[in-house]
Amino acid sequence: MGFACGIVGLPNVGKSTLFNALSSAGAEAQNFPFCTIEPNIAVASVPDARLDAIADAYGPQVRIPATIRFVDIAGLVRGASRGEGLGNQFLAQVREVDALAQVVRCFTDENVAHVDGRVDPVADLETIHTELCLKDLETVGRRLERAQKQSKGGDPFERMAIGVCERLSEHLDAARAASAFRPNGAKEAELVASLRLLTSKPMFYVANVDEAALADLEQAPHLRALRSRVEPRGGVVVPICAALEAQIGELEPEERPEFWESAGLSESGLHQVIRVGYGLLGLLTFFTKNERECRAWTIPRGSTAFDAAGAIHTDFQRGFIKAEVTWWEDFVAHGSDAKCREHGLVGIQGRDYVVRDGDLILFRFNV
């Protein structure tokens, strides 16, 4: 199924509106909590000018971009960790994604109810964080109980698990995310990873502002408050007007740049959301081409040429011989494989070659 980024937040902050803009999937968006009960899934194309540049240089008309899955998860509320609202169901959905985009309401609209009766992005952020920590505490508590029972038989791993779970519980009880917990050694790290804790997932923040704020984002008070809380801690905030993006998404592609420009944007805010989500998942893109198509492929950073071959087809991996690798800019500059070979710009790589983000690869295989 590939990698997935979950869209989370309180009810009525614009999650489903953002999802609609990303996917044009028509997820229901209404002014009341829990309008999204089953998680909607969208596959969004990753904007990448490199793919267009390669295709323009080589000639095929078909261009297939890399993609990322977004999962629209229904709104969490205070008490979700105890099952309030539809908390247990929603938190289980969070567990299944690889990263999180938390949508935070940074607009004022008396016609759109706020679940707590006020617009306070920092408080909203804390509510979500607290519920995720509480659910993780519950998970760690269950694992601790199991370790205490099983360690009575002398199992050294379970004795170790007791100490790790006790330290981790103290860490979470102080409202610190599991991602900031530092295990001692590989075995402790393996144990912590097996818990699949919600606060261990990478997260970025989508500040949903109103259209008027786009003209001068630096002066938008709710956005400034959110940034002042998130960015000093290394977090990423992406401002976007989800309602406007959804409207623009209904236009023909050639009409959209004019509307972005009229709103003071150089490109769709959705593009930044997609790119940040893609990067947060630790992914990279490599390219392939033939007479019919140019295509972008997604693999985790650190993957080898052998891994990349398998991303295309198991036959490529099973019969792997070599990979002919050209840096995408070199190919665009010279315009052909022959020219790149003439200038010594095509590298012959084996299965252990670590793929770079932007490599253009031709796989040689035999099955």
Side-chain angles (χ1 to χ4, degrees):
M1 290 291 290
F3 296 90
C5 184
I7 302 174
V8 299
L10 294 176
N12 293 343
V13 297
K15 298 182 311 303
S16 292
T17 304
L18 172 63
F19 177 85
N20 289 345
L22 284 166
S23 66
S24 299
E28 182 182 9
Q30 298 293 335
N31 182 24
F32 55 88
F34 316 125
C35 68
T36 306
I37 295 177
E38 294 300 325
N40 295 291
I41 298 175
V43 178
S45 299
V46 179
D48 197 329
R50 299 173 299 180
L51 177 65
D52 290 330
I54 294 169
D56 288 343
Y58 194 64
Q61 296 299 309
V62 178
R63 307 173 187 202
I64 303 176
T67 59
I68 177 176
R69 287 192 302 136
F70 283 94
V71 181
D72 182 23
I73 299 170
L76 297 173
V77 295
R78 189 174 288 106
S81 58
R82 302 187 304 274
E84 294 293 327
L86 296 176
N88 289 329
Q89 179 182 348
F90 299 164
L91 289 167
Q93 293 165 1
V94 172
R95 197 179 302 281
E96 298 305 313
V97 299
D98 305 290
L100 297 171
Q102 183 178 153
V103 182
V104 185
R105 179 169 172 172
C106 291
F107 66 89
T108 301
D109 186 342
E110 60 185 21
N111 295 315
V112 180
H114 189 287
V115 69
D116 288 330
R118 84 287 179 268
V119 178
D120 186 340
V122 174
D124 290 355
L125 183 152
E126 292 300 330
T127 295
I128 297 294
H129 179 72
T130 297
E131 294 305 322
L132 296 179
C133 282
L134 288 171
K135 194 65 177 178
D136 281 348
L137 266 171
E138 179 185 312
T139 300
V140 174
R142 288 197 302 268
R143 184 62 179 89
L144 176 58
E145 289 178 7
R146 196 174 94 205
Q148 289 169 335
K149 292 177 182 177
Q150 295 182 354
S151 65
K152 293 176 181 177
D155 187 327
F157 186 84
E158 294 303 321
R159 287 202 302 269
M160 177 203 71
I162 292 174
V164 175
C165 289
E166 288 175 343
R167 284 164 35 220
L168 189 50
S169 292
E170 183 179 344
H171 179 90
L172 291 164
D173 196 46
R176 289 180 287 176
S179 58
F181 181 77
R182 295 295 174 260
N184 298 319
K187 287 189 176 180
E188 287 196 4
E190 177 186 345
L191 173 67
V192 174
S194 72
L195 297 174
R196 298 172 65 208
L197 298 175
L198 306 179
T199 61
S200 67
K201 298 179 186 296
M203 179 184 293
F204 72 103
Y205 302 87
V206 179
N208 190 13
V209 303
D210 57 34
E211 186 174 347
L214 294 174
D216 191 357
L217 289 172
E218 296 301 320
Q219 297 304 314
H222 295 312
L223 175 60
R224 290 172 62 186
L226 180 62
R227 279 177 161 166
S228 67
R229 182 56 178 269
V230 169
E231 291 177 347
R233 303 180 181 186
V236 177
V237 177
V238 180
I240 186 173
C241 178
L244 178 64
E245 294 287 352
Q247 294 172 20
I248 293 176
E250 295 176 357
L251 301 173
E252 295 298 325
E254 61 272 13
E255 298 175 344
R256 295 172 189 175
E258 181 181 346
F259 279 80
W260 294 336
E261 185 177 350
S262 67
L265 304 172
S266 58
E267 65 168 351
S268 168
L270 296 177
H271 291 179
Q272 190 176 1
V273 171
I274 295 168
R275 281 194 291 260
V276 171
Y278 191 79
L280 200 67
L281 288 166
L283 305 175
L284 64 78
T285 300
F286 73 93
F287 304 97
T288 60
K289 60 174 178 55
N290 56 38
E291 292 76 13
R292 298 183 304 278
E293 67 180 35
C294 281
R295 182 162 183 165
W297 299 88
T298 299
I299 51 175
R301 290 186 180 275
S303 295
T304 64
F306 187 72
D307 299 324
I312 298 176
H313 198 282
T314 53
D315 283 351
F316 279 41
Q317 194 172 61
R318 185 160 54 93
F320 184 96
I321 299 173
K322 63 182 178 180
E324 299 180 9
V325 181
T326 308
W327 183 239
W328 76 273
E329 286 180 306
D330 291 336
F331 180 82
V332 170
H334 293 281
S336 72
D337 294 320
K339 287 288 185 182
C340 287
R341 289 193 181 91
E342 182 182 323
H343 288 82
L345 299 174
V346 180
I348 306 302
Q349 305 293 347
R351 58 192 291 153
D352 295 329
Y353 168 76
V354 178
V355 178
R356 300 170 297 175
D357 184 36
D359 276 343
L360 176 61
I361 305 179
L362 173 64
F363 291 98
R364 301 292 186 184
F365 68 101
N366 182 34
V367 291

